[in-house]
Amino acid sequence: MKSLQRFLIVGLRESNAGKTTVARALIIYLREKGVKACGFKPKAGNNIWYNYNIVYEALNHGRLYGEGSKLLKEASGGDLPEELVNPIHRLWAIPPHNLKQNVHLPFFIVDRVTLWSRKVKEIVVVNDSLPFRYGREKLVAKLYKPNRKIIHIKTLKELNKIVDMFYDKAVELAHRKIAEGHDALVYESYADIALPWKGITDLDLVLAVHPGYIQAYDPDKYLSALNLSSSLLQEEKTQKVISVLKPVKTVKIPPYTSKEIIDGVKRKLRLILEGK
């Protein structure tokens, strides 16, 4: 049985590093080589203020997903739903500038968690602790469907209980389903987190992305450095992990137009993947 190829894309900035662009280019590159490749983003999120177009699009279909997951799905081909490419999605809010009360929960409006068991199950976790609404009741109502479990939470303890029960399980089930039908997986992390899911192992390559360049790292050394620096209390930042590593290759990425960018990044990836 042919082993699964695994690539990890991580960011060196909290936002707009270019992870999704590099992931898409890598998926398309692999598919052009005859490899059945698929993107996988275990956890993702977007903001109702900054990303309302895609939020509006998804909610109009009674769903919740982000632009990155949609682009990964399109690059991967086939008819995979965004909820499989990205089993956990969070819709963020922005706290008021004059907020004085001590709020322990993250400022999110809702989480969508999809469990790909024999019968697909979806859980919608609604944050009732927000001190503001954003028309939340009307917004969240679009996600209410008879086959969905709606869970309202007000405390961090309640959220952590739900996370422990369902979140890792959702990622594991989605990962298993995608892996069964593909030869290669391209994992995309979120923000500047070094590893988006603890179940990612046996990597073939790690690509760290920053506007202007891509750095390739030996996967075994990367995972070893991650294990040494990991804390049980927080997710590790990519920058901390690579601070003790030397990249095996660095390629510069110039600015591209939207029409040029995928082909341009593919050409740069060849320098890493083919050693040219």
Side-chain angles (χ1 to χ4, degrees):
M1 184 176 178
K2 189 176 179 180
S3 61
L4 185 72
Q5 291 180 275
R6 304 165 189 257
F7 304 86
L8 174 63
I9 314 294
V10 294
L12 294 170
R13 286 169 50 91
E14 190 170 350
S15 63
N16 299 317
K19 296 187 300 295
T20 300
T21 298
V22 173
R24 291 166 62 205
L26 178 55
I27 293 165
I28 294 169
Y29 167 88
L30 292 169
R31 292 182 67 211
E32 290 174 350
K33 293 287 185 180
V35 179
K36 194 173 183 182
C38 185
F40 187 57
K41 193 173 178 69
K43 302 173 186 176
N46 57 5
N47 192 288
I48 192 170
W49 285 109
Y50 301 140
N51 311 110
Y52 192 65
N53 279 346
I54 192 70
V55 172
Y56 180 83
E57 172 192 306
L59 287 175
N60 271 345
H61 296 287
R63 301 167 64 196
L64 188 61
Y65 55 81
E67 188 69 32
S69 304
K70 182 179 179 181
L71 291 171
L72 287 181
K73 167 197 169 172
E74 292 171 354
S76 302
D79 56 356
L80 301 177
E82 285 83 357
E83 292 88 348
L84 180 56
V85 172
N86 167 227
I88 299 173
H89 186 88
R90 173 166 288 180
L91 182 60
W92 289 97
I94 297 177
H97 74 279
N98 59 351
L99 183 67
K100 295 181 179 179
Q101 71 182 85
N102 184 19
V103 179
H104 297 288
L105 274 170
F107 272 86
F108 74 97
I109 299 173
V110 63
D111 280 354
R112 185 267 303 156
V113 183
T114 307
L115 294 104
W116 290 90
S117 49
R118 184 170 298 178
K119 184 177 180 181
V120 181
K121 300 176 183 177
E122 285 204 327
I123 299 168
V124 176
V125 182
V126 184
N127 184 1
D128 284 343
S129 76
L130 292 181
F132 46 86
R133 298 300 176 191
Y134 290 150
R136 185 187 60 196
E137 291 80 2
K138 184 178 179 181
L139 181 151
V140 173
K142 292 178 180 291
L143 296 174
Y144 289 179
K145 290 186 177 180
N147 61 335
R148 283 185 178 147
K149 183 178 182 67
I150 311 298
I151 301 175
H152 292 264
I153 55 132
K154 289 185 178 180
T155 67
L156 186 59
K157 183 178 179 180
E158 290 174 333
L159 175 61
N160 287 337
K161 181 179 179 181
I162 300 304
V163 168
D164 290 342
M165 289 175 64
F166 298 114
Y167 285 46
D168 271 351
K169 182 179 179 182
V171 177
E172 182 181 348
L173 289 171
H175 181 266
R176 184 185 307 162
K177 187 174 181 66
I178 289 183
E180 287 173 353
H182 293 87
D183 303 318
L185 289 186
V186 177
Y187 302 100
E188 183 188 335
S189 192
Y190 57 95
D192 56 350
I193 298 303
L195 196 73
W197 174 50
K198 62 185 179 181
I200 297 175
T201 58
D202 301 321
L203 290 167
D204 291 274
L205 185 66
V206 176
L207 298 175
V209 185
H210 189 280
Y213 60 88
I214 302 171
Q215 292 178 325
Y217 288 90
D218 178 280
D220 294 331
K221 291 180 180 178
Y222 181 89
L223 291 175
S224 294
L226 175 63
N227 289 333
L228 288 173
S229 63
S230 288
S231 166
L232 294 175
L233 300 178
Q234 61 184 11
E235 296 170 305
E236 203 59 80
K237 301 283 188 178
T238 305
Q239 190 63 57
K240 183 177 179 182
V241 174
I242 67 168
S243 66
V244 298
L245 300 174
K246 182 178 179 180
V248 295
K249 196 171 188 68
T250 299
V251 294
K252 294 182 179 179
I253 306 292
Y256 291 111
T257 66
S258 58
K259 292 182 179 180
E260 299 171 329
I261 192 164
I262 295 299
D263 284 340
V265 174
K266 275 197 302 177
R267 287 194 297 271
K268 296 298 182 178
L269 286 174
R270 287 193 188 100
L271 300 175
I272 296 172
L273 299 167
E274 300 176 14
K276 295 181 179 179

